Amino acid sequence: MYGKCGSVLDAEQLFDKVSQRTVFTWNAMLGAYVSNGEPLRVLETYSRMRVLGISVDAFTFPCVIKACAMLKDLDCGAKIHGLVLKCGYDSTDFIVNSLVAMYAKCYDFRKARQLFDRMGEKEDVVLWNSIISAYSASGQCLEALGLFREMQRVGLVTNAYTFVAALQACEDSSFETLGMEIHAATVKSGQNLQVYVANALIAMYARCGKMTEAAGVLYQLENKDSVSWNSMLTGFVQNDLYCKAMQFFRELQGAGQKPDQVCTVNAVSASGRLGNLLNGKELHAYAIKQGFVSDLQIGNTLMDMYAKCCCVNYMGRVFYQMTAQDFISWTTIIAGYAQNNCHLKALELFRTVQLEGLDADVMIIGSVLMACSGLKCMSQTKEIHGYIIRKGLSDLVILNAIVDVYGKCGNIDYSRNVFESIESKDVVSWTSMISSYVHNGLANEALELFYLMNEANVESDSITLVSALSAASSLSILKKGKELNGFIIRKGFNLEGSVASSLVDMYARCGALDIANKVFNCVQTKDLILWTSMINANGLHGRGKVAIDLFYKMEAESFAPDHITFLALLYACSHSGLINEGKKFLEIMRCDYQLDPWPEHYACLVDLLGRANHLEEAYQFVRSMQIEPTAEVWCALLGACRVHSNKELGEIVAKKLLELDPGNPGNYVLISNVFAASRKWKDVEQVRMRMRGSGLKKTPGSSWIEIGNKIHSFIARDKSHSESDEIYKKLAEITEKLEREGGYVAQTQFVLHNVEEEEKVQMLYGHSERLAIAYGVLKSTEGSLIRITKNLRVCVDCHSFCKLVSRLFGRELVVRDANRFHHFEAGVCSCGDYW
């Protein structure tokens, strides 16, 4: 009685007072220890019995065998089994039941099954329950359900414990039908639905993703216990139904149920997934009041919630206030910092993990690699890579992450070497390498690898396609882009999400704005990213007013713009000269949507004012900015000073820019051009010497064109092409016709080099876009469209050249430069000479 009431101390005191103990007395004490989960005390007491020469009986063995099972001590259990045989109890049902359960819990299923199969008339339902439950608990679901079927076939009457064991074996949606059959069997049995059977049914339906059926069981149950409510709440969370989980949590409280630790863990987890910081904080306060915060699972879940809500300060407080941390705590805090761009903090804690003598697993290493990626720190990445090799952690997931990190750190050779070392590459391996190529400006290599991946019969996923589309976009190759679109259609990908927005972006960057618009209109469910992509597409092509109309339509669809949307909108205003509109949208961003502008937004507005030659206003705007102007902002102003020949302001801005960003070669080139426009050749030489002294190199201007399914690239005055003679001959013919019929005269004032006039003319004639145009005219059919891409801003003289070619040769030219698209037709450019 004392044992069953949980008072082991009283039981022991009474046991010690008994002078003449019988085997029944000893068995009662063993039972008390088993009931209270003290298996070691059971074995100690049993050993005393043996030393004192107390004869055991059949009722001694179940307690001792159960203690062995609790300790998972197979050796001790086997010895007790030997004594059972010696004492002749091997045919006693309740002893065999205990032995079967013990062997199963010690994972010796062969022995457990042998004992079960040896039983002649297996009419004891407890025996069946023992073996079914053991198989279920160990995850051997098919064996458990097979025995349940056999039990039904031989006509044995099942009880509630049988149903619970069988339901536990239905571990996922593949067992849904069997689970429903077991549910039907519980109804047919005529027994009242007992709470633990109902709880098992709720848990089974939740595992199978059938939350409606789970709710049906819950609401027909009269006497719900905490397990009933918790099973339902857990089901919502496990099935990613986080909003419903929180609704159910409130319903649970409304029904007078006080949330326990399990319930609180699930509610905190749902709040984190929803990014609902307010709910998360309320639950944190509740956990403190109830004294749950000392629980490790509660603490770890709170940290995860704060990480997902981007609240790293609270996450850190929870971690440091925990009385004890386990491995999951360290994994969660490191992941939280890495995911929230606190990369140095993540690496610092990783060092602490090592100092604590803990061996990092693949989860921690994945987070550490994410931190290395964010820092773009090559030395740290190599160090972690070495640690991975030493610790033997190089599984496929980690190797894929290493490929990605080396790519983001700019070391494409290391990335490729790791990729090639992977024996069984999966879709993530291929995608990581393709993305690395794209990230490092190797778009051709990215597309080649994409085609190799398909030849290797590896199925692409949406992330792979986004990377491949990005490669086609960066090259501005419409033919390749259309091939990828065809691939998407053939493979049955839905036109939604990242695939749809990437397609729109690809067509826009390949100069096919009309097709981009068709794709946009075909998408049934548009998200914010798709709207932003379409706004940006129109901005690229100088259609600022269309971009603004799209913005208002997006608002009418109840989408709230984010920072990226406003960036695309300001960019569109900048390339269409919409000054008032640009100013207005910066105010709307601040006041209507409470979004603090990034430096990029300020740079866009400075660029807008600068392009319109409102240089003084732009300068005053920069000086009055609420944040410290970045190099990007000063660069936008300097570019405008060069275009509009404001030498005095240009020199002031140039000095500021070199102070802020001395490591950017583009800034030196821009400053050099400002001095060259003022004919300050000594200053030009000083800037160039400083650039060389810093080990920086100017990015050479290059243009490319796709002819015959091949990309042909050119740099200024390039003669490396196999058809160079024919190209220069055709270019000379074109130039002569433009001079003769179009009155073309080279605008040498835009050549910012201290050379003779004739040399300046030859330099203009050899610009890379002219070589690409000449090759396009040479190789394409008369009257067909020519598409050119250039990596730098097209110069004024080449812009005039393109307009004349479009008029005198009857060709439409689509030229994408570093800033925007130019559509040349009949002597007119879509930019209106504003770029």
Side-chain angles (χ1 to χ4, degrees):
M1 181 275 294
Y2 279 126
K4 287 177 181 176
C5 291
S7 186
V8 179
L9 187 60
D10 289 325
E12 285 178 334
Q13 286 175 350
L14 187 57
F15 177 80
D16 291 339
K17 288 178 183 176
V18 178
S19 54
Q20 299 295 322
R21 301 184 188 115
T22 65
V23 67
F24 178 85
T25 317
W26 287 93
N27 289 348
M29 195 64 239
L30 291 172
Y33 284 135
V34 168
S35 299
N36 288 276
E38 296 193 24
L40 286 172
R41 303 291 290 277
V42 173
L43 297 182
E44 287 170 6
T45 306
Y46 172 72
S47 296
R48 281 174 63 199
M49 284 179 72
R50 303 296 291 158
V51 169
L52 293 171
I54 307 296
S55 297
V56 297
D57 65 7
F59 299 100
T60 308
F61 290 114
C63 294
V64 181
I65 293 167
K66 189 171 183 180
C68 295
M70 291 166 76
L71 293 167
K72 292 186 170 47
D73 189 338
L74 185 60
D75 289 339
C76 185
K79 288 174 184 175
I80 301 299
H81 187 186
L83 188 58
V84 166
L85 293 169
K86 189 175 179 181
C87 295
Y89 293 131
D90 54 313
S91 297
T92 306
D93 288 349
F94 60 85
I95 294 179
V96 175
N97 292 346
S98 298
L99 285 167
V100 167
M102 181 273 295
Y103 279 119
K105 284 177 182 175
C106 292
Y107 306 112
D108 190 343
F109 290 99
R110 185 184 61 81
K111 194 71 176 175
R113 193 60 187 260
Q114 280 178 353
L115 281 171
F116 176 80
D117 290 340
R118 253 185 235 151
M119 295 288 288
E121 295 293 323
K122 294 189 275 287
E123 295 180 356
D124 185 0
V125 70
V126 177
L127 177 65
W128 287 88
N129 289 350
S130 295
I131 190 76
I132 293 170
S133 181
Y135 275 129
S136 290
S138 67
Q140 298 191 53
C141 308
L142 293 174
E143 288 81 356
L145 292 169
L147 284 167
F148 177 74
R149 289 277 200 206
E150 179 66 15
M151 191 177 179
Q152 288 180 309
R153 190 186 65 78
V154 298
L156 272 174
V157 177
T158 54
N159 61 18
Y161 294 105
T162 318
F163 292 130
V164 169
L167 286 166
Q168 286 171 344
C170 301
E171 62 180 6
D172 56 39
S173 57
S174 61
F175 294 95
E176 181 189 325
T177 305
L178 279 168
M180 293 178 77
E181 287 177 10
I182 296 166
H183 188 180
T186 65
V187 175
K188 288 177 185 176
S189 69
Q191 302 171 19
N192 290 328
L193 186 62
Q194 294 173 298
V195 68
Y196 44 90
V197 176
N199 293 343
L201 281 167
I202 293 167
M204 179 275 294
Y205 279 124
R207 288 193 298 271
C208 295
K210 295 287 182 180
M211 292 309 297
T212 303
E213 287 78 359
V217 175
L218 179 78
Y219 293 125
Q220 78 176 63
L221 188 62
E222 291 182 7
N223 300 314
K224 304 174 186 69
D225 62 7
S226 61
V227 177
S228 314
W229 293 100
N230 288 344
S231 297
M232 193 71 195
L233 183 60
T234 303
F236 281 125
V237 174
Q238 286 175 345
N239 286 283
D240 302 336
L241 301 168
Y242 306 116
C243 286
K244 288 189 176 180
M246 293 311 297
Q247 289 169 9
F248 184 77
F249 178 72
R250 286 187 281 273
E251 180 187 335
L252 172 155
Q253 290 177 298
Q257 187 72 23
K258 186 178 178 181
D260 60 9
Q261 285 165 280
V262 174
C263 185
T264 305
V265 163
N266 281 300
V268 170
S269 179
S271 298
R273 296 285 181 175
L274 291 169
N276 192 326
L277 183 59
L278 183 61
N279 267 359
K281 284 184 174 180
E282 287 174 355
L283 288 161
H284 189 179
Y286 176 81
I288 292 169
K289 287 177 185 175
Q290 300 301 317
F292 294 162
V293 284
S294 59
D295 180 81
L296 265 173
Q297 193 177 9
I298 291 277
N300 292 340
T301 310
L302 280 168
M303 278 196 295
D304 183 64
M305 179 273 294
Y306 281 125
K308 286 182 169 61
C309 292
C310 307
C311 195
V312 290
N313 289 335
Y314 279 90
M315 177 188 73
R317 285 182 199 173
V318 172
F319 178 77
Y320 290 112
Q321 287 173 3
M322 291 171 74
T323 52
Q325 293 108 354
D326 63 0
F327 196 77
I328 295 170
S329 311
W330 288 100
T331 304
T332 305
I333 191 79
I334 292 171
Y337 279 126
Q339 289 161 9
N340 284 282
N341 299 322
C342 300
H343 307 305
L344 288 172
K345 190 67 177 173
L347 292 176
E348 180 188 317
L349 283 172
F350 174 63
R351 296 288 185 212
T352 309
V353 165
Q354 292 176 297
L355 292 171
E356 292 280 334
L358 299 171
D359 283 328
D361 65 358
V362 292
M363 294 291 288
I364 287 183
I365 292 299
S367 297
V368 171
L369 286 171
M370 184 188 292
C372 293
S373 174
L375 291 169
K376 294 182 171 54
C377 180
M378 191 63 195
S379 59
Q380 190 70 55
T381 304
K382 286 181 178 179
E383 190 179 321
I384 300 301
H385 190 184
Y387 178 89
I388 289 164
I389 293 168
R390 288 195 306 275
K391 296 292 183 179
L393 297 171
S394 300
D395 67 2
L396 184 58
V397 174
I398 290 295
L399 288 173
N400 291 343
I402 293 171
V403 170
D404 184 65
V405 174
Y406 276 133
K408 284 176 179 170
C409 289
N411 196 322
I412 200 68
D413 292 332
Y414 275 50
S415 185
R416 188 189 299 111
N417 289 341
V418 176
F419 172 75
E420 288 173 355
S421 74
I422 301 172
E423 292 182 7
S424 301
K425 300 176 182 70
D426 63 2
V427 64
V428 181
S429 315
W430 290 91
T431 303
S432 298
M433 194 65 232
I434 292 167
S435 298
S436 294
Y437 277 134
V438 173
H439 182 78
N440 287 277
L442 300 169
N444 278 317
E445 288 82 351
L447 289 173
E448 286 172 13
L449 193 64
F450 175 75
Y451 290 122
L452 279 174
M453 174 183 169
N454 290 310
E455 287 173 14
N457 296 317
V458 178
E459 287 293 325
S460 304
D461 61 13
S462 59
I463 301 170
T464 318
L465 289 168
V466 167
S467 296
L469 287 166
S470 179
S473 297
S474 63
L475 290 169
S476 198
I477 304 174
L478 184 60
K479 189 173 180 181
K480 294 289 183 191
K482 285 183 173 179
E483 285 176 10
L484 290 168
N485 194 355
F487 180 88
I488 289 165
I489 294 166
R490 288 195 306 276
K491 294 295 182 179
F493 283 91
N494 293 327
L495 192 60
E496 60 186 17
S498 58
V499 172
S501 53
S502 295
L503 265 176
V504 166
D505 186 65
M506 179 274 294
Y507 277 121
R509 292 181 184 278
C510 290
L513 185 61
D514 54 336
I515 305 178
N517 198 48
K518 286 177 184 175
V519 172
F520 175 78
N521 290 329
C522 283
V523 178
Q524 298 295 318
T525 307
K526 297 176 177 67
D527 59 13
L528 178 63
I529 298 171
L530 184 62
W531 283 99
T532 302
S533 297
M534 199 65 224
I535 290 168
N536 188 59
N538 281 282
L540 267 174
H541 291 264
R543 299 178 65 185
K545 290 185 177 177
V546 177
I548 290 169
D549 289 342
L550 274 168
F551 176 79
Y552 288 131
K553 285 179 184 176
M554 184 193 81
E555 281 190 315
E557 294 284 336
S558 300
F559 283 98
D562 62 6
H563 283 88
I564 307 297
T565 312
F566 278 108
L567 198 57
L569 196 58
L570 289 169
Y571 176 91
C573 292
S574 173
H575 286 276
S576 299
L578 303 173
I579 298 172
N580 293 331
E581 290 85 346
K583 292 177 181 177
K584 183 179 78 173
F585 283 120
L586 193 66
E587 283 305 305
I588 288 172
M589 178 184 180
R590 286 177 179 144
C591 302
D592 293 4
Y593 290 100
Q594 287 77 52
L595 295 172
D596 293 326
W598 294 343
E600 291 86 350
H601 296 98
Y602 290 118
C604 263
L605 193 63
V606 170
D607 185 61
L608 170 58
L609 294 169
R611 285 174 189 277
N613 202 12
H614 292 201
L615 291 174
E616 187 57 35
E617 185 183 353
Y619 183 49
Q620 293 306 322
F621 175 79
V622 172
R623 293 182 66 184
S624 63
M625 277 172 54
Q626 295 175 355
I627 62 171
E628 187 67 28
T630 61
E632 189 175 15
V633 175
W634 289 111
C635 188
L637 184 55
L638 184 60
C641 290
R642 187 183 72 81
V643 170
H644 297 292
S645 303
N646 190 324
K647 298 160 189 174
E648 294 78 14
L649 182 57
E651 289 180 21
I652 294 168
V653 175
K655 290 174 184 175
K656 191 69 180 174
L657 186 58
L658 278 181
E659 287 173 15
L660 285 172
D661 192 9
N664 186 337
N667 292 341
Y668 286 95
V669 173
L670 190 54
I671 292 164
S672 171
N673 290 343
V674 169
F675 286 134
S678 305
R679 300 293 185 264
K680 294 185 175 181
W681 301 115
K682 286 185 178 179
D683 290 333
V684 170
E685 187 56 33
Q686 283 180 359
V687 171
R688 289 175 179 170
M689 283 178 66
R690 184 172 170 180
M691 183 177 173
R692 285 193 292 270
S694 301
L696 302 172
K697 291 183 180 180
K698 175 187 173 183
T699 303
S702 64
S703 301
W704 56 93
I705 182 171
E706 185 182 17
I707 299 286
N709 208 28
K710 185 180 176 183
I711 298 166
H712 298 264
S713 298
F714 302 90
I715 58 173
R717 306 170 88 172
D718 188 7
K719 292 194 176 180
S720 61
H721 197 281
S722 58
E723 298 177 76
S724 180
D725 292 341
E726 290 87 347
I727 292 169
Y728 275 94
K729 184 179 177 182
K730 176 57 70 176
L731 180 57
E733 290 173 9
I734 293 169
T735 306
E736 184 185 346
K737 183 171 181 176
L738 300 190
E739 289 172 340
R740 187 177 67 250
E741 299 178 23
Y744 167 70
V745 177
Q747 301 172 68
T748 55
Q749 69 268 30
F750 296 109
V751 179
L752 303 175
H753 292 272
N754 190 17
V755 294
E756 296 296 326
E757 194 69 15
E758 184 58 34
E759 178 68 12
K760 290 181 179 181
V761 171
Q762 292 305 313
M763 289 174 80
L764 285 173
Y765 285 1
H767 276 190
S768 61
E769 56 266 56
R770 301 192 192 205
L771 296 173
I773 289 168
Y775 192 61
V777 172
L778 185 68
K779 289 296 179 180
S780 61
T781 56
E782 192 172 338
S784 62
L785 184 147
I786 296 174
R787 296 179 187 275
I788 307 290
T789 305
K790 183 171 183 176
N791 67 335
L792 302 177
R793 180 182 183 271
V794 66
C795 76
V796 175
D797 192 67
C798 287
H799 194 267
S800 301
F801 180 90
C802 292
K803 287 198 290 185
L804 288 170
V805 169
S806 70
R807 177 163 65 86
L808 297 177
F809 285 84
R811 294 293 192 101
E812 183 182 351
L813 278 78
V814 177
V815 178
R816 173 184 163 190
D817 71 4
N819 288 340
R820 56 167 295 157
F821 272 92
H822 301 265
H823 295 258
F824 298 95
E825 189 172 9
V828 179
C829 180
S830 60
C831 75
D833 297 338
Y834 184 87
W835 80 103

